[in-house]
Amino acid sequence: MATATPRVRLPAIAKKGDIIEIKTLISHEMESGQRKDSAGALVPRKIIKLFEAQFNGHPVFSADWNPSVSANPYQSFFAKVEESGIFEFAWTDDDGTVTKTTAKITVT
Amino acid sequence: MISRRDFLAAGAALASVGGVRRAAAAQAITQAQLLEFAPLGQVTLLHITDLHAQLLPMNFREPSVNIGVGEAGGRPPHLTDAAFRKFFAIADRSPEAFALTSDDFVALAREYGRMGGLDRIATLVAAIRAERGADRVALLDGGDTWQGSWTALQTKGGDMAACMALLKPDAMVGHFEFTYGQDRLQELAKAQAFPFLASNILDEWKEPVFPDRRMMVRGGVKIAVIGQAFPFTPIANPRWLMPDWNFGIQEELLRANVAAARAEGASVVVLLSHNGYDVDRKLAGRVAGIDVILSAHTHDAMPRPELIGTTLLVASGCYGKFLTRIDLDVQGGKIAGWRHRLIPVFADAITPDPTMAAEIARHRAPYLADLGRVLGRTQGVLYRRGNLAGTFDDLICDAMLAERDAEIALSPGFRWGASLLPGQDITAEDVYAATAITYPACYRTSMTGAQLHDVLEDVADNLFNPDPYYQQGGEMARLGGVGYRLDPNAAMGRRITDMVLLRTGAPLDPTRSYRVAGWASINQTVEGPPIWDVVSAHLRANPEIRPTDRSNVKLVGA
Amino acid sequence: MGETGQISRRNLLVTGGALLAFGPTRADAAASDAEITRILAGRTAKVTGLTLDVPSIAENGLVVPVNLSVASPMTATDYVRAIHLIAPENPIPLVASFRFTPASGRAATSMRMRLAQTQTIVAIAELSNNDVLIAQAEVKVTIGGCGG
């Protein structure tokens, strides 16, 4: 896939101190480096190796991914929210490309 | 079940040898007796399941081989014939013996007549609703309802959905329903007046695709019905027909659903399950808080529920042969008492419901000429069910060997398919009843002996793994042209030995390639004529079928 | 049931154009053992407290859902630092490492992994007090078919 397209799901509103679930998906072939093409040559590895989530600049969750992570990686996790703010999500490719997206939450 | 008095009446009828025996036996069983039930408490649950689109009465021979492994060994439903009758104190040659076991099948089928028929079931359901008051009754459909006939295949389940709608079920779950494809399934499910439930199907976001439960009040009691689809549908059936959905047993989701149902005030929690009996038995011991599991999929009919801790495990057979009634007495938010009856649907004893009969006729009318085509005749019993082999499967395998010029034939171990009696015509409808699926291509390929062994080992582990949660299969795959020894209790990789090519008597060569024909591949890119055409062509060339017990599978250690 | 081209576990993974050339035999037992040894770093793992939820049978070896969780207060002084997921029979056994903070609120995560063949999956959790928890579960990768 030429460009990785991220999608995230989380509640738009929460109460102070709530623990919310965050679900993320990104389209990416996660080429394992183990696969051979029709000519029998190894297809070079190209995966997203790091996923990071921050809230208002502070780390919440991260994951180091290896070639056994499925294509179009799904990653869910939780966050405890004490204030309104912005979640930032970043997916870092083997080649250094970083795909980012953000999501706002209002905490009452 | 039928009382001893009825049994004696039936026995007396049986003793009067002569051409009117069947009528006499049928008359000995009356609709009133089939409905006999001392009502209890406030709630009545009715359960039908695995109808496989059988709208009309038919014969269905129960298995003579049903092997239980591990903890399931030697206990019902893994008992057959004399052992089954002994366990449940069922008299030989009684109506229950005919309905629940396989020996004397031909003689008893002629005594007692056909079973099932949705118009007969409609009569029973209406009578029970009238007796109890409809507001006390919940009718639950365990699934595998919309698939299994030519008319269902042609209408993509539409005929079954229309007929079932007249019964007014309160909920249903599914398995082969999904093989119409996820779009059609969604369309049909949304069109029903009742929810199509599945607590164990998730989308790519791991969120439920279908409602997971239905809360209802019956007899003033709050009841939660949680639905469980066949957990291994995308493994046992083509995943490409439901590519966006994940199944699985999903114990954690089930626990959450039970807790949510209790939190919403449910006094009774029912799991309407298509897990299969052994999976449900294991699940009952692991997921607390379920009062009743209405089990399905494995086609087992149990004359009494099994109690696992405080959970009632109920199995209602298949093909419309049985309707289960359970009355519940609920006191202080708990079940204080229950009464159960597995009602055998003896078609000759029950007045068909005219509205349902008309609806069935309406849906069959466009196809009657095709369905009624006589393709051949059988001189012995043709049946499907049994862990290892069935004579109808032998016919299908013979057809593939002959018509596809193969050395070896592979046929899936489906549990559905009507039985035919000696002397009976084999019609197109009978062939469809054993083959009507949405992935019918009869392929031709080559496989080495080692690959065939791998396939059989894999299938055997899906049936005989001692842990029920690893049992996703139907019966053993049927092999034409090959014999083998099977040790169900051996470890995976060592269950199948002594594979022999029957034509020559030579052991199967692991390295040699054999010409193999098969059908019902779960692979999307399979090509070949539909299996019913292959069987029909074979019957045209060989219209007289003489089924025999081939004993191509030698069972050891079980 | 299947056709040639879909009958071995190796070839089972040939689906949807995504070909994983994972070998049919045990990859390298030493690789997964070394991974586990590295994570444990001399500590003895407890076999309770970590929930590894995987299907008993994979619907598709390319997409096997995994849920991981540890009951933890997730406070600044008592939280789960990481959970590591290992598929010993895969060519590269370490599937992923999930890193939590007290701001995670709950030490739980879900993802989907590729499995080369039937195997026993291992998960290891590292806690802030240096405790280590381990859990394992078997996932069967089957040829499938024949159900009904």
Side-chain angles (χ1 to χ4, degrees), chain B residues 364-386:
Chain B
R364 288 174 54 82
Y367 306 98
L368 274 184
D370 181 35
L371 296 173
R373 284 182 297 126
V374 174
L375 304 173
R377 198 160 62 115
T378 183
Q379 297 187 0
V381 190
L382 287 177
Y383 67 93
R384 197 48 148 329
R385 259 227 82 185

Side-chain angles (χ1 to χ4, degrees), chain B residues 458-494:
Chain B
D458 197 80
V459 176
D461 196 58
N462 293 336
L463 186 56
F464 300 121
N465 192 304
D467 183 341
Y469 279 16
Y470 292 89
Q471 296 170 3
Q472 60 87 357
E475 314 280 22
M476 274 306 288
R478 304 343 192 174
L479 253 67
V482 170
Y484 62 91
R485 287 162 69 89
L486 169 72
D487 182 354
N489 295 306
M492 186 173 179
R494 292 206 290 273

Side-chain angles (χ1 to χ4, degrees), chain C residues 4 10 21 24 27 37 49 52 57 75-76 93 102-104 107 113-114 120:
Chain C
T4 307
R10 179 196 192 108
T37 303
L52 165 61
I57 311 176
T75 60
S104 302
M113 65 179 167
R114 294 163 167 156
T120 299

Side-chain angles (χ1 to χ4, degrees), chain B residues 82-122:
Chain B
F84 188 98
R85 293 193 295 274
K86 185 175 178 214
F87 187 94
F88 289 109
I90 293 168
D92 290 357
R93 303 182 68 82
S94 64
E96 299 106 309
F98 168 60
L100 292 159
T101 60
S102 79
D103 41 18
D104 283 331
F105 175 71
V106 173
L108 297 181
R110 295 195 164 123
E111 289 289 339
Y112 295 114
R114 298 183 181 220
M115 298 190 70
L118 205 59
D119 49 6
R120 272 71 166 189
I121 293 169

Side-chain angles (χ1 to χ4, degrees), chain B residues 58 101 106 148 201 391 398 402 476 504 537 542:
Chain B
M58 43 77 242
T101 60
V106 173
I201 301 180
T391 49
D398 288 350
M476 274 306 288
T504 61
N542 308 272

Side-chain angles (χ1 to χ4, degrees), chain A residues 13 18 28 43 52 81:
Chain A
I13 300 166
D18 276 358
H28 193 287
V43 179
E52 295 167 286
V81 288

Side-chain angles (χ1 to χ4, degrees), chain B residues 209-291:
Chain B
V209 178
F210 297 94
D212 35 34
R213 64 183 184 277
R214 178 175 181 187
M215 304 293 292
M216 57 182 100
V217 176
R218 292 291 181 277
V221 175
K222 206 171 211 181
I223 300 169
V225 177
I226 303 170
Q228 180 89 349
F230 179 52
F232 308 119
T233 304
I235 305 167
N237 307 93
R239 192 169 58 87
W240 59 269
L241 289 166
M242 58 218 87
D244 298 334
W245 298 344
N246 290 299
F247 290 62
I249 296 170
Q250 309 281 6
E251 274 188 357
E252 284 303 321
L253 287 176
L254 195 51
R255 285 190 188 97
N257 265 307
V258 171
R262 294 288 183 196
E264 287 170 34
S267 297
V268 177
V269 174
V270 177
L271 181 66
L272 181 60
S273 165
H274 206 93
N275 280 334
Y277 195 88
D278 292 348
V279 173
D280 277 326
R281 182 197 273 133
K282 177 174 174 180
L283 185 140
R286 292 170 56 88
V287 178
I290 302 171
D291 295 303

